[in-house]
Structures are given as structure tokens and as C-alpha cells.
Amino acid sequence: MKYNKGFAMVALASVIAGILVVSGGVYWLKQNNINRENKIKELNSKEVFNDFTLNGNNCYDRSKYFIITRADLSGNAGDDILVKFKINKQQKIDCDYKVGEDDFEIKNSCTDGLNCYRAQHFSYIKDNLLIIDEGTGTSRSFIIYDLDKREKLFSDNYSAGLFELKENILNYWRKTNDIPNKENCSRVEEYMKMGGAKIEGKITLDISNPTDRKFEGFRCSYAE
């Protein structure tokens, strides 16, 4: 049989393209999961959850609040977040992003202002504390709002992964100012060749009293 070089090249190109498509799809799924699904996991929660999607919005019905999120209208990563205050836990509110006089809105992007962040997503609500996740990769940040006062209570950076709440104690990893070296990071050379290294501390934080923040351990990680 005569060898067809042109056919072989086309077949090889098709195989390579297929691999790239699959790899790209896996990467997109991984990034999309990081961007939108990195929510706090509460252990032993007694709250009744009712989360659903309607009218193109995501809605989170809680005993005291009804939260509505919508994709940024400008096409930026992240959501606008609207908090509606319920009269009682049985109150029914439409999953419709319409800002009322008594609502609390946090826009995803704008030019200035306190309640203005980029690439933000609703993460959790505990009692009167609203927690927003912010970021598009593994190095992220979160913001805690006091809904009674309608103001920012606390913010910090963290690494995607452990993000658990038990009662009022939040556990997460955050980057420290320590410089990675062979003594505190056995894989520092490997990480530096990949792009960078960082020293992180495991934090336990009382979200009702953010001044009570403790380091529970340290680790060296790859820095993207």
C-alpha cells in the first residue's frame, strides 16, 4: 500500500487538535469550578437551605434574608449581589433582581465606592454575616459584611481549597510574608521552576469577632 504523507499529516493534526480541545475543556471546567463553586462548607449547619436558579438569576432563600445574584451586566467575571431583608421566614420573595428601597446591593464592578469589588460571588450567610468570595483563580480573597450595619466587617486573602465553617469558626489557608527557602520549603526549587512558591498559614477565625484570628500551622505551596 502506498504511503500517503499528506493524509498522515492531516490525521496527526486532527489528533493533536482533539487533545488540545479535551485539555482546554478540562482546564475550563477546572477554572469555572474554581470561579463559581468555591463556597464555604458549613459543618453541622442547622440552617434550612433553599437555593435555586430562575429568570437567569441564582437565588438563596434563608430564614432572615433572600439573596439574589446575577452575572455582571458588563461581561466581567463575577456577580452583582442583592440582599433582601425578610419580615419573617415564611415570606415569599420573587427571584427577580429588582433593587428596592430597603435592599442592600453590592455591585460587582464600578469606578469607586466601598461596596465595589470585582470577580465576586456569594459564598455564605451566617446569622447577620454575609460572606463574599472574590477572585478568578486559586489565590482569592473573601469579605465579611455585617448586614445589621450594612458595612464591611473584615476581609482577607486565602487559597482555594479548605474553606470550612463550624459554628462561628472559619478555617482557611492564607499567604504569609515569609520568604520560601530550603529550610521552610523542601520543594522550593521545584516550585520556583514552575513559577513561584509561597508560605501559607492555616487560620482559624471567629467570624463574629474577626480580631480573634489564630495561626494553627504552616505549609509551603506552589504560587501561580
Side-chain angles (χ1 to χ4, degrees), residues 55-154:
N55 302 323
N57 305 317
N58 292 317
C59 289
Y60 309 87
D61 192 0
R62 300 295 185 266
S63 57
K64 295 173 60 179
Y65 308 97
F66 191 87
I67 301 95
I68 306 170
T69 70
R70 68 179 179 190
D72 187 300
L73 299 181
S74 300
N76 299 315
D79 298 329
D80 294 327
I81 299 172
L82 182 64
V83 180
K84 291 182 176 290
F85 296 73
K86 297 174 66 173
I87 299 173
N88 54 60
K89 63 174 62 178
Q90 287 79 30
Q91 183 182 4
K92 300 299 181 182
I93 298 177
D94 293 333
C95 187
D96 196 0
Y97 200 102
K98 291 184 178 179
V99 183
E101 183 178 351
D102 297 326
D103 297 343
F104 181 58
E105 183 183 30
I106 306 173
K107 299 285 287 183
N108 180 61
S109 59
C110 54
T111 55
D112 56 21
L114 176 64
N115 301 333
C116 194
Y117 301 93
R118 296 185 183 277
Q120 67 175 16
H121 299 284
F122 168 74
S123 181
Y124 205 75
I125 191 164
K126 173 73 172 178
D127 300 325
N128 65 312
L129 301 176
L130 170 69
I131 303 176
I132 292 175
D133 174 49
E134 182 181 27
T136 58
T138 57
S139 296
R140 312 175 69 85
S141 60
F142 68 91
I143 305 100
I144 301 176
Y145 278 95
D146 183 332
L147 292 178
D148 289 341
K149 298 179 180 179
R150 303 192 181 206
E151 63 183 26
K152 185 171 72 171
L153 182 63
F154 178 79

Side-chain angles (χ1 to χ4, degrees), residues 135-217:
T136 58
T138 57
S139 296
R140 312 175 69 85
S141 60
F142 68 91
I143 305 100
I144 301 176
Y145 278 95
D146 183 332
L147 292 178
D148 289 341
K149 298 179 180 179
R150 303 192 181 206
E151 63 183 26
K152 185 171 72 171
L153 182 63
F154 178 79
S155 64
D156 200 2
N157 75 77
Y158 80 100
S159 297
L162 176 68
F163 206 30
E164 293 180 345
L165 184 67
K166 185 175 182 180
E167 296 179 349
N168 279 348
I169 304 300
L170 181 65
N171 293 284
Y172 61 97
W173 290 93
R174 78 177 306 279
K175 182 180 178 181
T176 71
N177 294 324
D178 295 338
I179 299 175
N181 54 54
K182 291 184 179 180
E183 293 183 358
N184 60 19
C185 183
S186 61
R187 301 175 65 183
V188 63
E189 293 183 354
E190 175 188 349
Y191 289 149
M192 293 306 292
K193 290 179 181 178
M194 295 168 58
K198 59 184 177 181
I199 302 297
E200 298 177 311
K202 183 180 179 181
I203 303 296
T204 60
L205 175 76
D206 184 341
I207 60 173
S208 63
N209 180 24
T211 57
D212 185 10
R213 187 179 70 172
K214 300 175 182 177
F215 283 90
E216 297 290 336

